[in-house]
Amino acid sequence: MKLYYFSVAGVFLSLGLSATELPDRQAQLPSVAKDANAQYLTPSELSTIPKGEFGDKVRKGYQLFVNSQQMRDTYVGNELNCVNCHMNAGNKANASPLWGAYLAYPAYRKKNDKVNSYEERIQGCFTYSMNGKAPESGSESLVAISAYSYWLAMSGLMNQFGITGPVPEMTDGELLKGGNREDFPLPDAVTSKLDQKALTMLPGRGFPKLAKPELAYSVQRGETVYQAHCQACHGDDGQGLKMAEVSSLPPLWGPQSYNWGAGMHRVNTAANFIYENMPLGKSMQLTVQQAWDVAAFVNAHERPQDPRFKGHIAETQASFHQHDGFYGKPSPIDASVTLGVEAYPIFPASQ
Amino acid sequence: MSFSAMATIPDESPKELLQKVPAAAQVCLSCHGVNGEGLGVAGPRLAGLSSEYIATQVSHFQTGSRQNPTMMAMAMTVQGDNIKVVSDFFASKPVTAIKLQYRGDKVVIDDIGEKLAYQGDWQRDIPACTSCHGPSGIGAGQFPRLAGQEPTYFKNQLLAWQTGTRTGDADNMMGNIAKKLTAAEIDALTQYFSAQK
């Protein structure tokens, strides 16, 4: 019976997604172990963004990125800001920098047998991480975030290869595609040193892959780690801290955090992120085991529903959750509760 | 509701105000002011800080996590339930509303204090101050308000975090950041935040 059940799930996958179905645009982040000698791109200072229309788009992208709450109720449905996970305004290596992502799209995705543009990847962030509503294709905010990402990537490459002058401007349509395409204009000084494939896998892209823990991760041990090292900022209830109506310190679970479709709900992704980037400013280093344990603890709480949910937790779990996460599974905190059943609303109106 | 009328006619005379101060807080007034407004170099502003923050700091002076001869002696005079009484009293004091600056409001920032406040310096793993202390550094919970704080006190705190005479936060987060700041940056931060009032 069980075998039959999983073969049905396999059919779901092989059929691909119908036009009305939400595509999975938060597949597992590619992660590789950190290389101690890696040279990371160093994008230019914000003060060098050029004057004029193109520069205005880049600046707008930066502003949306660090204060995403200005899109609350239009595209954002929780209290997060992009910068909560992409440290230093999307500029920091090993914190999923925008320059790394920009050069990796468009990307072919086996899962839906489709080439995803950069714009579509950003739409995925709004649908899942921001528990919101994806801005329409070509909309001002997608152009702005793409322009900012492009500017970081191109200025970083130009700095690395000693190319002077302003970052070449591109049209909105080109900006939205991403940098992983044959017709993407790259200076010869770059293409002579790096091929397209290398550019999609720049050091510092995504979050660095953390070694497996010695012991299987434990939500119970994770709670102790949380109380000792996370609670001071994220609160004893994981709801962060609001100041002047803005969650300066982000909620990690519950109705105001990322939903069950977001990449961060995976225990491995969260462990990678936490080990590398937390606590903010790196005043101390968690052990590998602590990072896994606390990632499990954070992600063993209820959060907003997976936007691909069609009324059956088990089906959503079978189709989209064959990975390291707690969706559709008994809560390790209270086994009588199946996570996802009491999920919070998708894209709720703010309170 | 007329705000101009409220501003010109005081609700209470200074004498009436004093009568409303809880006995346990009387000892604080000569340096921190009747409204916790702070009295220049004599004592920092307490209005605008949360009750939980004030209470934690009182206990830090008592246990020596914060080293300051005057405050260590003064804090010992406030014990037990009175810690909350005093903390609630000063936390309830109003501060003038300021125009808040959120991250991203400015893209290009020249002032080095303001730049650290909103963008940090990630080459040195220094996060933006406002990522924990809130827009314009208004603070909440265990994160003190920085906006409008008395400058001498503000600067001395960063120096105390640097030298380790102030501790007591989780994982030495603030000490770790303060140790990376240069003297010029401490001056610039002091100037920037104390002017936000």
Side-chain angles (χ1 to χ4, degrees):
Chain A
M1 193 60 198
K2 201 167 184 181
L3 264 176
Y4 170 74
Y5 178 73
F6 277 104
S7 68
V8 171
V11 172
F12 281 147
L13 293 179
S14 61
L15 281 175
L17 299 158
S18 71
T20 56
E21 211 159 355
L22 267 177
D24 176 8
R25 291 195 178 113
Q26 293 233 326
Q28 184 163 328
L29 280 173
S31 59
V32 289
K34 199 172 164 185
D35 173 1
N37 300 314
Q39 290 285 311
Y40 302 125
L41 284 198
T42 309
S44 296
E45 285 280 320
L46 298 172
S47 57
T48 66
I49 301 171
K51 285 198 166 58
E53 224 178 286
F54 171 74
D56 289 343
K57 291 171 192 167
V58 176
R59 275 182 287 269
K60 180 74 182 172
Y62 167 78
Q63 293 178 313
L64 294 175
F65 206 79
V66 295
N67 180 5
S68 314
Q69 289 298 306
Q70 58 192 298
M71 297 179 280
R72 186 68 197 259
D73 297 339
T74 49
Y75 304 127
V76 171
N78 60 21
E79 287 174 2
L80 301 184
N81 293 287
C82 309
V83 70
N84 291 144
C85 296
H86 307 267
M87 327 313 272
N88 192 18
N91 203 340
K92 191 171 188 302
N94 300 312
S96 277
L98 291 178
W99 42 260
Y102 191 78
L103 294 170
Y105 284 85
Y108 173 73
R109 292 282 308 284
K110 266 190 228 156
K111 186 150 190 169
N112 52 359
D113 191 24
K114 184 181 176 299
V115 174
N116 287 272
S117 64
Y118 189 69
E119 167 189 54
E120 288 171 316
R121 182 62 184 82
I122 302 297
Q123 286 179 317
C125 295
F126 283 98
T127 305
Y128 300 106
S129 301
M130 311 307 284
N131 192 36
K133 188 184 101 184
E136 306 71 28
S137 170
S139 61
E140 189 198 2
S141 31
L142 292 178
V143 169
I145 294 170
S146 302
Y148 175 55
S149 308
Y150 162 73
W151 183 83
L152 290 174
M154 187 56 87
S155 70
L157 286 172
M158 290 170 68
N159 292 340
Q160 185 168 2
F161 292 98
I163 303 161
T164 53
V167 168
E169 299 188 6
M170 285 205 300
T171 64
D172 293 356
E174 282 184 301
L175 286 169
L176 293 164
K177 289 180 192 170
N180 180 27
R181 51 192 168 95
E182 278 176 15
D183 56 348
F184 179 66
L186 277 168
D188 292 344
V190 176
T191 49
S192 64
K193 294 281 201 310
L194 292 175
D195 63 16
Q196 199 77 56
K197 176 89 177 149
L199 287 169
T200 66
M201 302 169 74
L202 286 175
R205 187 185 169 213
F207 304 125
K209 186 172 188 167
L210 188 58
K212 287 278 166 223
E214 208 171 303
L215 309 168
Y217 53 74
S218 146
V219 168
Q220 281 70 28
R221 278 198 309 270
E223 183 170 15
T224 313
V225 177
Y226 182 86
Q227 287 163 349
H229 303 293
C230 315
Q231 173 168 288
C233 289
H234 294 288
D236 52 8
D237 55 358
Q239 298 310 294
L241 187 58
K242 263 187 160 180
M243 301 180 196
E245 304 305 309
V246 171
S247 285
S248 286
L249 298 151
L252 303 183
W253 61 80
Q256 299 298 337
S257 193
Y258 52 89
N259 68 35
W260 279 115
M264 194 60 89
H265 93 275
R266 292 165 189 254
V267 177
N268 54 325
T269 301
N272 293 345
F273 167 78
I274 291 166
Y275 184 81
E276 178 67 25
N277 294 293
M278 290 286 119
L280 195 64
K282 291 308 280 184
S283 56
M284 56 83 70
Q285 178 66 60
L286 294 176
T287 65
V288 171
Q289 185 71 52
Q290 286 175 319
W292 280 96
D293 290 344
V294 79
F297 172 71
V298 166
N299 282 324
H301 288 86
E302 197 58 278
R303 50 183 65 262
Q305 187 54 270
D306 188 328
R308 298 159 300 191
F309 172 72
K310 293 260 174 67
H312 300 281
I313 299 285
E315 276 179 20
T316 313
Q317 202 268 341
S319 300
F320 301 108
H321 289 265
Q322 301 302 312
H323 54 238
D324 244 340
F326 290 104
Y327 184 85
K329 296 175 187 166
S331 159
I333 298 156
D334 176 358
S336 70
V337 175
T338 299
L339 287 163
V341 172
E342 299 287 326
Y344 297 98
I346 299 161
F347 193 44
S350 67
Q351 291 137 9
Chain B
M1 191 71 165
S2 166
F3 282 97
S4 59
M6 284 172 70
T8 49
I9 304 166
D11 286 344
E12 292 161 306
S13 70
K15 193 178 166 190
E16 284 172 310
L17 267 179
L18 266 178
Q19 285 163 353
K20 286 196 170 176
V21 179
Q26 293 283 349
V27 68
C28 316
L29 307 185
S30 59
C31 294
H32 294 289
V34 158
N35 288 309
E37 71 274 27
L39 295 176
V41 290
R45 180 194 274 199
L46 302 181
L49 301 173
S50 75
S51 176
E52 58 179 304
Y53 173 78
I54 298 173
T56 307
Q57 300 313 309
V58 169
S59 82
H60 284 176
F61 282 119
Q62 291 171 342
T63 58
S65 299
R66 285 187 72 170
Q67 304 270 325
N68 174 286
T70 309
M71 265 313 292
M72 287 167 88
M74 289 298 185
M76 295 312 274
T77 70
V78 183
Q79 297 285 349
D81 294 345
N82 279 337
I83 296 179
K84 187 168 179 341
V85 170
V86 170
S87 303
D88 284 350
F89 170 72
F90 286 111
S92 71
K93 293 296 172 188
V95 279
T96 313
I98 56 172
K99 188 179 182 307
L100 294 175
Q101 182 175 336
Y102 291 83
R103 292 172 78 187
D105 284 356
K106 286 189 188 175
V107 179
V108 179
I109 302 175
D110 297 322
D111 179 81
I112 61 168
E114 189 179 4
K115 194 168 196 297
L116 280 171
Y118 292 92
Q119 299 176 343
D121 181 357
W122 283 90
Q123 298 294 329
R124 293 180 287 160
D125 272 336
I126 300 174
C129 312
T130 53
S131 51
C132 291
H133 291 275
S136 294
I138 58 163
Q142 290 292 357
F143 298 88
R145 182 185 178 101
L146 308 178
Q149 190 47 282
E150 203 278 314
T152 308
Y153 169 80
F154 189 103
K155 178 175 176 172
N156 284 340
Q157 294 319 297
L158 285 175
L159 294 172
W161 282 113
Q162 267 192 341
T163 55
T165 53
R166 180 169 181 179
T167 58
D169 64 341
D171 289 330
N172 190 34
M173 299 239 285
M174 195 59 225
N176 167 64
I177 292 166
K179 280 190 174 65
K180 298 172 188 167
L181 298 173
T182 65
E185 286 170 340
I186 288 179
D187 285 341
L189 285 165
T190 302
Q191 207 167 17
Y192 176 73
F193 279 114
S194 63
Q196 305 307 306
K197 56 185 176 190

